[in-house]
Amino acid sequence: MTKNNSTNPYDQCDLTGLDTTRDLKNPLTAAIYGTLLEVVGDVSGLLALDLACGDGHVARLLADQGADWVWGLDVSHDMIRLARTKSTPQDWNDVAKTEYFKHNCSEPIPDRFSVNNLCDIVTAAYLFNYAQTEDMLGSMCLVAAQKLKPGGKLVAITVNPANPVPDTVEGTSSTVRWLDEDGTWTEGSRLEVQVDTGNPQKPAILVSWYWSAGVYKKWLEAAGFTDVKFIIIRPSADESIAVPTNLHLMIGRNCSSIVITATK
């Protein structure tokens, strides 16, 4: 398996202002994660593994919606620290139902982590787009399958193969541009993404890699997944979140993110 030894950019950022609860009220972010949760479905009493968990916002959402237990893995030490800090029992239904470990999600999950071998759901929000090579993407897909029980579901968010670089729209919290002008739209082309960390002077500067739908499907199937589907981002069902006219252009087929679902 390919190892990624690069320094994690989130560990170089000031994350004191990061507020994913606030971000989930952003119409575009709410649409993206709302679509993920809609595809995941009812998690009551289920076991879930959240790969590339960041500060634990997806893990907490799953726990809050009734998952019996959620494990989160992320390569960033600072993100794991934030996840453990934010996922306190008093904040989430007075039930501590999450556990986090620092881990590179392109490498097999070690037995020393207490992750159940029969998880019902694996989520991976913005993991696959950090695969620098097809071999690394294949390794990530194997990790996604490692702790998932037969018949279990993978639900991931990644860069939309059909629209990786959206038009810049006022009101969005990140910007995307091609880094490899000569390789635009070719497999493995690099994208620079600036992500709001709560400190406008110090956004996180991330590099993603472009992979086509065919490449994602190939490596997911090689890892043992079937019924691979690409789901466009839908507007949030939360009626309290109004979608400004300009952001309607960023949701649906024009969104730079997409949800992938597959069954083991």
Side-chain angles (χ1 to χ4, degrees):
M1 290 192 176
T2 303
K3 292 187 177 181
N4 178 3
N5 296 315
S6 60
T7 301
N8 188 276
Y10 280 113
D11 287 340
Q12 312 301 312
C13 297
D14 176 7
L15 300 176
T16 55
L18 187 67
D19 185 352
T20 48
T21 301
R22 174 203 63 205
D23 292 343
L24 288 172
K25 292 298 182 181
N26 174 288
L28 180 57
T29 306
I32 292 169
Y33 286 95
T35 302
L36 177 138
L37 292 175
E38 181 183 340
V39 175
V40 166
D42 184 10
V43 295
S44 299
L46 301 185
L47 301 177
L49 171 62
D50 184 28
L51 301 177
C53 67
D55 73 340
H57 57 287
V58 172
R60 290 192 296 276
L61 288 170
L62 295 174
D64 199 43
Q65 293 195 2
D68 192 57
W69 197 267
V70 187
W71 293 270
L73 304 180
D74 199 279
V75 71
S76 167
H77 172 81
D78 285 349
M79 282 296 188
I80 290 297
R81 177 181 54 80
L82 277 174
R84 289 171 176 165
T85 299
K86 291 183 175 185
S87 300
T88 54
Q90 60 265 30
D91 292 333
W92 294 91
N93 288 341
D94 295 321
V95 179
K97 299 192 294 185
T98 56
E99 189 174 10
Y100 300 97
F101 301 100
K102 181 183 182 299
H103 182 66
N104 184 337
C105 294
S106 66
E107 300 176 10
I109 301 170
D111 291 337
R112 70 178 183 275
F113 294 169
S114 59
V115 179
N116 193 291
N117 285 321
L118 293 174
C119 287
D120 302 282
I121 297 288
V122 170
T123 53
Y126 300 109
L127 168 65
F128 295 149
N129 49 288
Y130 291 119
Q132 300 173 21
T133 64
E134 284 199 44
D135 182 57
M136 183 178 288
L137 178 59
S139 296
M140 290 175 175
C141 293
L142 286 171
V143 172
Q146 181 186 348
K147 297 291 185 179
L148 190 61
K149 73 179 186 181
K153 183 190 294 185
L154 167 68
V155 184
I157 304 172
T158 194
V159 171
N160 184 354
N163 190 43
V165 180
D167 294 333
T168 301
V169 175
E170 184 180 355
T172 57
S173 59
S174 64
T175 58
V176 185
R177 70 179 183 92
W178 290 106
L179 282 178
D180 301 317
E181 293 184 5
D182 293 339
T184 299
W185 292 89
T186 60
E187 307 294 0
S189 293
R190 297 179 303 155
L191 299 148
E192 180 186 86
V193 185
Q194 293 191 28
V195 178
D196 181 14
T197 61
N199 183 339
Q201 303 303 317
K202 294 182 179 180
I205 308 298
L206 312 175
V207 176
S208 288
W209 280 259
Y210 171 82
W211 303 107
S212 67
V215 167
Y216 281 122
K217 188 172 187 291
K218 177 179 76 173
W219 289 107
L220 285 166
E221 290 179 343
F225 288 100
T226 62
D227 197 25
V228 179
K229 296 178 182 177
F230 295 83
I231 311 296
I232 63 172
I233 302 302
R234 304 157 181 158
S236 172
D238 186 343
E239 295 181 356
S240 70
I241 301 176
V243 182
T245 302
N246 60 336
L247 284 183
H248 276 290
L249 300 174
M250 298 288 288
I251 297 173
R253 298 185 184 280
N254 293 324
C255 185
S256 62
S257 296
I258 201 164
V259 168
I260 302 177
T261 182
T263 303
K264 181 178 176 182

